[in-house]
Amino acid sequence: MSERPDNTTPHEAAARGPLLLSTWSFGERANAAAWPDFSAGGSALDAVEAVTVFCDEDPGIDSVGYGGLPDRDGDMSLDGCVMLSPEQCGSVCAVRKHLHPVRIARLVMDRTPHVMLAGEGADEFASAHGLPEQPLLSPEAKKAWQVRQAQGGGDSSDVRPVDGDPDGALFKDQEDRWRNNHDTIGVLGLDDQGRLAGACSTSGMPWKVPGRVGDSPIIGHGLYVDPHGGAAVATGTGELVMAICGSFLAVEQMRSGAMPQDAIREVLERIASRSDLQANHQVALIAIRPDGHWSSGALRPGFRLAFSDGSGHHTMDPAFVQLPGT
Ligand code: SD4
């Protein structure tokens, strides 16, 4: 059942743009960096790109761009997408030589008749459009991979995305933190002209099987934007989101009249009811309607989001956790 717009939580008060909503607490500093141009009348599209570019360049974020953790063999590959509407979206995956997947995805959207480019083709396209080749593996990420190798390697099946470790209680040491503290930047923007835009950038699951692509660059899975329904972005275990077209599902719910919190709950209920759910599985979503009502929810504790509007930049807990205490 949809909530009534007048029965709102703070997460669901209708907001007027400009407004930025980003996954994870590091989204706050990225939102703040994009804010001066955005609040001066910039477009939602420029703002969401700027948020992801900031995260790509921050070596302290171990899951996006430079500083991201590599695949099983120690090689980096990046994924990302950008979306304004079903007619205007672009995506790249398995990029190995260029730092900003969303920048390339926007070029795909603007300059080709296609939606998605993969691997070598995406890198060649980026170079042909003047984007510089850059090293993607940071010394810290390389060290984390070497430590992992020394411990016997292994795939991503023990990775659980968690936002920070404020009391030092979640992770026993730095290596444990590298193993777990993984997350994607997903950002939704509503500008002062009422235009919605969304973007995602990620290095994907750490230690992934080379060639693996998750939900983040796939339109309808990690991100979906429909000016008539709203926008949704997902983070966490991509395979769970991909199995149900998570972001598309949330937007379709809103398109049918649901409030964002109900739309997200529908997605998370389906994931929570999987027979093969693992303790390390996490998924979180943020969703916004074209009228500015927005919300967020997570499958398990440990997710935070960043919210920016005229009142400033705030890191906050999601409106609800589907499986609290897990
Ligand atoms: C993926 N969804 O590649 C991404 C990773 C992520 O928090 O968001 N982790 O599956």
Side-chain angles (χ1 to χ4, degrees):
M1 197 182 79
S2 298
E3 289 167 38
R4 288 169 29 226
D6 58 357
N7 180 21
T8 55
T9 69
H11 285 88
E12 292 173 337
R16 294 170 67 97
L19 168 70
L20 282 175
L21 295 160
S22 297
T23 52
W24 308 102
S25 55
F26 59 68
E28 185 177 332
R29 55 186 195 267
N31 285 0
W35 194 257
D37 286 346
F38 190 39
S39 60
S43 70
L45 179 60
D46 286 342
V48 296
E49 179 183 344
V51 167
T52 63
V53 163
F54 179 92
C55 295
D56 293 336
E57 286 172 357
D58 186 337
I61 302 172
D62 66 6
S63 50
V64 182
Y66 188 74
L69 295 173
D71 66 17
R72 183 197 64 198
D73 296 347
D75 296 319
M76 287 290 288
S77 58
L78 304 181
D79 308 323
C81 69
V82 63
M83 188 164 191
L84 285 170
S85 70
E87 296 83 16
Q88 284 181 287
C89 49
S91 159
V92 290
C93 68
V95 170
R96 291 190 176 274
K97 297 179 182 160
H98 295 84
L99 182 56
H100 299 305
V102 170
R103 204 161 259 173
I104 313 170
R106 188 167 170 182
L107 286 165
V108 173
M109 174 173 94
D110 289 341
R111 311 250 181 111
T112 79
H114 309 305
V115 169
M116 187 166 192
L117 297 182
E120 258 176 50
D123 275 311
E124 278 167 20
F125 174 81
S127 295
H129 286 80
L131 299 182
E133 291 192 6
Q134 282 168 266
L136 303 182
L137 186 64
S138 72
E140 291 75 18
K142 186 172 178 185
K143 188 172 166 218
W145 178 78
Q146 285 166 337
V147 168
R148 178 92 175 167
Q149 289 303 105
Q151 292 170 339
D155 61 19
S156 310
S157 52
D158 56 353
V159 171
R160 173 169 173 183
V162 174
D163 198 338
D165 185 10
D167 311 319
L170 289 170
F171 307 122
K172 54 181 190 297
D173 51 32
Q174 183 61 22
E175 288 160 27
D176 200 27
R177 193 167 284 113
W178 277 328
R179 198 159 59 90
N180 288 281
N181 193 11
H182 176 77
D183 28 78
T184 284
I185 182 69
V187 51
L188 304 177
L190 177 67
D191 65 28
D192 58 10
Q193 307 205 14
R195 293 171 301 199
L196 285 169
C200 283
S201 176
T202 189
S203 51
M205 283 287 154
W207 334 126
K208 62 196 173 189
V209 172
R212 178 265 186 192
V213 175
D215 61 323
S216 301
I218 314 283
I219 298 297
H221 296 254
L223 174 71
Y224 199 70
V225 182
D226 176 348
H228 306 293
V233 70
T235 185
T237 315
E239 283 73 7
L240 303 182
V241 179
M242 296 167 90
I244 54 166
C245 304
S247 293
F248 181 74
L249 178 58
V251 172
E252 282 302 286
Q253 299 285 315
M254 295 191 291
R255 199 182 161 103
S256 303
M259 290 298 282
Q261 185 167 326
D262 296 316
I264 293 170
R265 201 178 284 283
E266 172 69 29
V267 176
L268 293 178
E269 268 171 9
R270 292 197 197 192
I271 291 172
S273 68
R274 282 179 67 121
S275 58
D276 61 349
L277 202 67
Q278 314 277 324
N280 62 304
H281 283 159
Q282 170 66 303
V283 171
L285 289 104
I286 305 174
I288 182 168
R289 298 199 329 179
D291 64 8
H293 283 87
W294 65 273
S295 191
S296 64
L299 183 67
R300 301 185 190 283
F303 172 70
R304 288 186 291 172
L305 68 146
F307 164 71
S308 299
D309 68 357
S311 72
H313 312 292
H314 316 277
T315 295
M316 55 178 69
D317 291 328
F320 73 99
V321 174
Q322 186 72 26
L323 300 173
T326 60

